[in-house]
Amino acid sequence: MKADYVWKNGEMLPWERAQVHVMSHALHYGSSVFEGVRAYEIREKSAIMCGPEHYERLLFSCKVARIPSPLSVGQWMEVTADTLRANGHRSAYIRPLVYRGLGPTMGLDGRGCPSEALLASMPWGAYLGEDALVQGVDVQVSSWRRSGSGAASTLAKIGGQYVNSQSIVMEARDNGMSEGIALDGNGLVSEGSGENVFIVCKKEIFTPSLSSSILCGITRNCVMRIARDLGYTVTEASVPREMLYLADEIFFTGTAVEVCPVRSVDRMPVGNGQRGPVTRAIQEIYFGIMRGTHPDKWNWLTHVSVPARQGAPA
Ligand SMILES: Cc1ncc(COP(=O)(O)O)c(C=O)c1O
């Protein structure tokens, strides 16, 4: 993972010079908020997927964490386009981050620390592998519960909360699985370490509701729109764990993972263990929009011109 430039606090810095002080508050206490955004190459331009929605959520996370964002939604969009151009990236994973920097004291209340901001872009393929999008992934129900229920603000993407996500994914990988699905504090299905979960039972689609300690995923919202447009009933529900074993189809959604089928849970095949027709129909529309082969009927894409650069990944 490397790019030529990282935008930091108003400057486009060479990758090596984009550094933080070791005594920065965020490094010690997880006081950062971030987003994961994707841009796709469409007709020799870069198309940023749901950019304004991501930056609205970033500002929401800033509010919850009480770390002021130095930029507005529009300014974040401009910085995104500038960084894609500086790096010559048309297709990229984009990582904006706002964090508490080096302050006058070491205390937990870091509101005296400066609010710093950065944005990086990098080439990144399918999060769980290209094959996974067709073959599906093996997952386990995590022994780690999703932090939430008043102890963590799962609706906000706050850096420190992702230690919980790391425990979920590391345990799953140690057990030979691609990912873990965590239950919430009440034992209901919550989400993956960095993905929302959808369950298809007898052609009806269910996904855990916002009260199950999930992040309100932007891809989740897109997929609900696509599914309803295709005529499916989608219900945000309290999802008991057993539904994972009874489901005909399960799939993950997320900016990184996109729309990815799950083929087994706790070593039990989901349906017949192959990507099902509902997952496939939703993938066709989702990836069609990202590739520019399906109309962007909900205006999810912001097109940005990024001149081709020799030697740089497009
Ligand atoms: C914990 C968690 N759940 C779900 C998601 C999916 O959200 P989105 O579709 O907005 O990327 C993410 C990724 O940001 C995440 O970190």
Side-chain angles (χ1 to χ4, degrees):
M1 181 191 64
K2 188 175 180 317
D4 290 347
Y5 292 100
V6 174
W7 179 92
K8 182 165 179 264
N9 294 336
E11 281 182 277
M12 202 60 78
L13 297 176
W15 177 271
E16 291 75 16
R17 283 189 42 221
Q19 295 179 350
V20 296
H21 195 279
V22 292
M23 295 310 287
S24 296
H25 195 270
L27 194 58
H28 297 252
Y29 302 122
S31 43
S32 63
V33 303
F34 67 101
E35 273 301 317
V37 189
R38 267 192 197 265
Y40 294 85
E41 178 166 1
I42 301 180
R43 290 181 278 280
E44 299 187 351
K45 286 183 135 192
S46 177
I48 304 166
M49 173 65 176
C50 290
E53 288 83 349
H54 280 283
Y55 293 119
E56 274 157 27
R57 190 171 66 187
L58 184 74
L59 297 197
F60 167 77
S61 301
C62 284
K63 188 170 183 186
V64 173
R66 302 212 251 167
I67 308 173
S69 167
L71 304 184
S72 65
V73 169
Q75 288 168 326
W76 276 113
M77 286 298 287
E78 279 170 33
V79 167
T80 306
D82 290 347
T83 309
L84 291 172
R85 281 190 204 107
N87 285 321
H89 289 161
R90 288 179 182 157
S91 172
Y93 185 77
I94 298 153
R95 168 52 53 81
L97 186 116
V98 184
Y99 65 97
R100 292 200 204 283
L102 176 63
T105 63
M106 267 301 285
L108 275 169
D109 184 344
R111 283 175 291 179
C113 301
S115 193
E116 317 245 359
L118 63 86
L119 186 139
S121 71
M122 62 211 85
W124 204 13
Y127 179 54
L128 296 176
E130 210 54 59
D131 282 0
L133 297 174
V134 178
Q135 307 297 333
V137 289
D138 300 310
V139 311
Q140 67 163 91
V141 173
S142 183
S143 70
W144 292 97
R145 292 291 171 100
R146 189 93 202 131
S147 30
S149 306
S153 327
T154 56
L155 290 177
K157 274 180 84 73
I158 299 177
Q161 288 174 189
Y162 277 76
V163 175
N164 176 241
S165 286
Q166 292 173 48
S167 301
I168 294 164
V169 72
M170 287 191 293
E171 178 191 58
R173 302 249 163 111
D174 283 351
N175 289 331
M177 309 287 178
S178 296
E179 185 53 290
I181 295 178
L183 306 179
D184 69 10
N186 296 316
L188 297 165
V189 175
S190 178
E191 61 180 346
S193 67
E195 308 87 11
N196 293 113
V197 183
F198 283 77
I199 293 160
V200 185
C201 274
K202 302 193 194 322
K203 303 274 176 220
E204 267 196 62
I205 305 178
F206 300 89
T207 192
S209 68
L210 298 188
S211 51
S212 285
S213 302
I214 64 163
L215 181 77
C216 182
I218 288 161
T219 320
R220 176 181 180 270
N221 292 341
C222 294
V223 160
M224 287 199 288
R225 283 191 107 157
I226 293 172
R228 286 180 179 139
D229 199 52
L230 286 170
Y232 294 108
T233 306
V234 186
T235 311
E236 296 176 70
S238 296
V239 177
R241 174 179 182 162
E242 314 81 89
M243 264 179 95
L244 296 172
Y245 307 127
L246 297 173
D248 299 314
E249 299 178 36
I250 299 177
F251 58 89
F252 281 137
T253 65
T255 303
V257 80
E258 300 168 306
V259 179
C260 181
V262 172
R263 68 178 173 197
S264 75
V265 180
D266 292 339
R267 303 190 193 281
M268 288 187 263
V270 176
N272 64 7
Q274 295 187 342
R275 175 175 65 168
V278 178
T279 310
R280 194 188 174 134
I282 292 170
Q283 278 183 320
E284 265 169 29
I285 311 269
Y286 185 82
F287 288 111
I289 293 173
M290 306 314 134
R291 289 192 192 111
T293 55
H294 194 89
D296 176 21
K297 64 193 273 191
W298 294 287
N299 294 319
W300 289 335
L301 302 173
T302 305
H303 299 269
V304 174
S305 69
V306 176
R309 274 202 349 207
Q310 270 198 330

